[in-house]
């Protein structure tokens, strides 16, 4: 609560009023925004009495029992309002004489009030402040181009064109380094996405067979036709094929089957599925998901006995080596069997074939437990 006291000598036109009666008994200046004690009716500047009451709660400076605030007596207020007073900043050059009522407003706006320059810390009159700071050598400047903060006085040494340009260059280099790092990150991310989409595309190579009803789930039918062509032999399915690891499963070309084993489950399978390739296994084989963190759904497969009727095929689904489900079917040579399983969340399928009786029409050498698989449908979470 800074108060600019009105000393009696600032009163310009007392016109017979005894200014002495209008003094505050605390600050001895002219009463300013006065209030009074209800008991003794003594007026005080409101700032003075409030300050006093903080130090002396409820006590009137005139020893009244308790201080109760009341309005300044009207005749005092009336006398005050007749006064004309020189501006507080008269000594700084303000020529204004203001009525008592208008004094506060004028002094808060007076052009002669000093303000501190943020550069040189000198007190500068409000009316000169703008001009001063515009030219003050100590005022800090910020370059819009290089962002350097420097004192105006140092322009010639600390912010030359050279300095400004080289600073901008350094910043650009820094930015470009940052951009390069960002770019590097983005490239890595892009690579990862490409790899993901590659493995996704591998599963999706045969788009015609995909039914995507759940957008998070892809149903993939593997018909082996996209394996490298083998005309005169049988080959192992590559250890990684369509995102799955194939263990001890081979595939065969149709022409080879027709030529070498016309009366077998191979040919029946080809006839029923219309593919160029079929897969087959003997005794024990497995398919697992390539990524150890993923699982898939074994939806269905079509299997056929290659040589022996009443051949038992046991299919087991596992996750993390634990048994999820198992199913045994009896297979025949003359017709493939559609096996619907819909096993969720497995990471490995194990096939075991055993038993069976040799078809009297089959070549006597064909006494094996081969099982033909002409299609495998799996579901993948995307
Ligand atoms: Zn006072
Ligand atoms: Zn009193
Ligand atoms: Zn003034
Ligand atoms: Zn200055
Ligand atoms: Zn600059």
């Amino acid at each position: 609560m800074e108060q600019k006291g009105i000393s009696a000598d600032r009163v310009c036109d007392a016109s017979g009023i005894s200014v002495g009666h209008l003094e505050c008994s605390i600050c001895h200046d002219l009463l300013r925004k006065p209030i009074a004690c209800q008991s003794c009716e003594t007026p005080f500047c409101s700032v003075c009495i409030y300050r006093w009451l903080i130090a002396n709660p409820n006590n009137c400076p005139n020893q009244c029992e308790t201080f109760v605030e009341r309005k300044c007596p009207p005749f005092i207020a009336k006398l005050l309002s007749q006064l004309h007073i020189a501006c507080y900043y008269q000594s700084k050059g303000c020529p204004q004489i203001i009525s008592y009522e208008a004094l506060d407003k004028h002094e808060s706006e007076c052009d002669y009030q000093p303000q501190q320059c943020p550069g040189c810390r000198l007190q500068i009159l409000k009316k000169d402040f703008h001009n001063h700071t515009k030219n003050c050598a100590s005022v800090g400047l910020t370059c819009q181009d290089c962002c350097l903060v420097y004192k105006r006085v140092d322009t010639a040494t600390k912010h030359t064109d050279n300095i400004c340009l080289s600073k901008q260059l350094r910043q650009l280099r820094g930015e470009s380094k940052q951009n390069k790092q960002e770019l590097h990150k983005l490239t890595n991310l892009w690579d990862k996405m490409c790899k993901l989409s590659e493995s996704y595309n591998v599963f999706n190579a045969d788009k015609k067979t995909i039914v995507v009803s759940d957008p998070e789930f892809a149903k993939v039918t593997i018909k082996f036709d996209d394996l490298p062509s083998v005309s005169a032999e049988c080959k192992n399915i590559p250890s990684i094929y369509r995102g799955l690891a194939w263990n001890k499963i081979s595939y065969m070309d149709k022409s080879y089957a027709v030529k070498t084993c016309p009366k077998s489950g191979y040919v029946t399978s080809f006839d029923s599925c219309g593919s160029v390739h079929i897969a087959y296994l003997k005794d024990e084989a497995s398919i697992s998901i390539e990524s150890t963190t993923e699982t898939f759904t074994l939806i269905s497969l079509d299997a056929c006995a290659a040589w022996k009727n009443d051949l038992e095929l046991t299919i087991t689904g596992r996750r993390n080596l634990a048994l999820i489900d198992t199913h045994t079917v009896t297979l025949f040579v003359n017709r493939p069997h559609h096996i619907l399983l819909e096993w969720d969340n497995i990471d490995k399928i194990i096939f075991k074939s055993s038993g069976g009786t040799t078809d009297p029409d089959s070549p006597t050498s064909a006494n094996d437990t081969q099982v033909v698989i002409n299609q495998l449908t799996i579901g993948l979470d995307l």
Side-chain angles (χ1 to χ4, degrees):
M1 279 197 285
E2 186 59 42
Q3 167 155 278
K4 301 177 189 85
I6 311 168
S7 54
D9 57 9
R10 281 172 56 200
V11 179
C12 297
D13 175 19
S15 48
I17 299 165
S18 167
V19 175
H21 292 118
L22 301 176
E23 264 181 15
C24 164
S25 60
I26 298 174
C27 69
H28 304 293
D29 280 336
L30 203 64
L31 288 163
R32 193 151 207 182
K33 295 182 192 165
I35 54 168
C37 165
Q38 199 167 51
S39 312
C40 64
E41 297 202 338
T42 310
F44 308 96
C45 308
S46 42
V47 168
C48 293
I49 189 65
Y50 292 150
R51 211 176 270 163
W52 163 275
L53 288 170
I54 289 169
N56 311 275
N58 293 324
N59 282 337
C60 171
N62 290 341
Q63 268 87 47
C64 302
E65 218 161 275
T66 51
F67 178 88
V68 177
E69 179 183 326
R70 57 155 284 175
K71 267 173 72 179
C72 174
F75 76 96
I76 303 242
K78 195 177 169 204
L79 287 175
L80 285 169
S81 73
Q82 286 165 11
L83 298 176
H84 285 85
I85 294 152
C87 172
Y88 179 77
Y89 301 108
Q90 189 180 38
S91 62
K92 307 280 181 198
C94 179
Q96 298 280 317
I97 310 291
I98 311 109
S99 72
Y100 180 87
E101 308 289 347
L103 187 65
D104 267 347
K105 186 172 184 292
H106 169 80
E107 286 180 352
S108 69
E109 295 166 351
C110 179
D111 270 347
Y112 289 82
Q113 59 188 302
Q115 293 175 332
Q116 192 180 46
C117 166
C120 64
R121 306 271 157 205
L122 288 178
Q123 295 292 328
I124 309 298
L125 297 189
K126 188 177 168 187
K127 68 183 180 65
D128 302 326
F129 192 78
H130 180 69
N131 257 340
H132 172 86
T133 50
K134 225 171 68 184
N135 298 301
C136 174
S138 304
V139 161
L141 302 177
T142 305
C143 173
Q144 299 298 315
D145 295 324
C146 70
C147 304
L148 184 73
V149 183
Y150 55 97
K151 286 184 182 176
R152 182 178 280 118
V153 69
D154 296 332
T155 307
T157 51
K158 298 203 170 142
H159 188 253
T160 60
D161 283 354
N162 252 345
I163 293 172
C164 184
L165 286 173
S166 59
K167 199 158 188 280
Q168 285 182 62
L169 190 66
R170 261 202 306 280
Q171 281 160 358
L172 282 173
R173 278 208 197 110
E175 269 169 37
S176 103
K177 199 173 159 191
Q178 220 170 15
N179 286 343
K180 262 186 208 155
Q181 282 166 351
E182 298 276 309
L183 197 65
H184 188 70
K185 270 189 219 160
L186 281 173
T187 313
N188 279 346
L189 204 64
W190 177 251
D191 283 351
K192 268 185 205 160
M193 281 174 66
C194 285
K195 274 182 197 143
L196 272 176
S197 99
E198 246 167 54
S199 55
Y200 174 70
N201 285 338
V202 167
F203 282 119
N204 288 347
D206 191 354
K207 293 242 176 194
K208 278 174 289 180
T209 61
I210 299 171
V211 181
V212 182
S213 47
D214 176 350
E216 309 269 278
F217 184 82
K219 192 171 161 184
V220 180
T221 299
I222 301 173
K223 288 188 156 186
F224 312 104
D225 279 355
D226 52 347
L227 285 165
S229 86
V230 275
S231 52
E233 55 180 340
C234 307
K235 264 197 171 163
N236 284 335
I237 292 180
S239 58
I240 298 297
Y241 164 58
R242 301 190 73 168
L244 298 169
W246 301 72
N247 179 39
K248 289 166 74 175
I249 302 184
S250 309
Y251 71 108
M252 180 190 289
D253 183 87
K254 185 175 180 179
S255 59
Y256 180 78
V258 171
K259 199 165 64 188
T260 58
C261 41
K263 287 190 171 183
S264 68
Y266 297 111
V267 173
T268 4
S269 290
F270 276 120
D271 289 346
S272 86
C273 71
S275 303
V276 188
H277 296 147
I278 47 92
Y280 65 96
L281 57 98
K282 187 192 163 193
D283 299 340
E284 185 165 345
S286 66
I287 303 170
S288 43
I289 191 116
E290 186 190 357
S291 157
T292 53
T293 57
E294 284 171 35
T295 59
F296 61 99
T297 302
L298 173 57
I299 298 171
S300 68
L301 62 133
D302 288 0
C304 185
W307 302 111
K308 294 169 93 180
N309 280 319
D310 297 317
L311 184 73
E312 288 213 325
L313 173 67
T314 299
I315 308 161
T316 308
R318 290 183 179 266
R319 182 176 66 246
N320 287 333
L321 306 174
L323 176 76
I324 301 299
D325 217 329
T326 184
H327 183 71
T328 300
V329 282
T330 305
L331 300 176
F332 299 90
V333 174
N334 61 353
R335 63 186 153 87
H337 195 104
H338 183 68
I339 306 160
L340 184 67
L341 295 169
E342 293 186 323
W343 293 342
D344 274 346
N345 269 323
I346 59 169
D347 56 23
K348 187 170 191 175
I349 315 166
I350 298 167
F351 299 98
K352 279 184 187 166
S353 64
S354 61
T357 50
T358 306
D359 189 320
D361 291 342
S362 292
T364 45
S365 60
N367 194 20
D368 278 334
T369 56
Q370 271 107 335
V371 171
V372 182
I373 294 172
N374 63 43
Q375 70 94 358
L376 180 78
T377 302
I378 61 169
L380 291 164
D381 289 329
L382 300 180

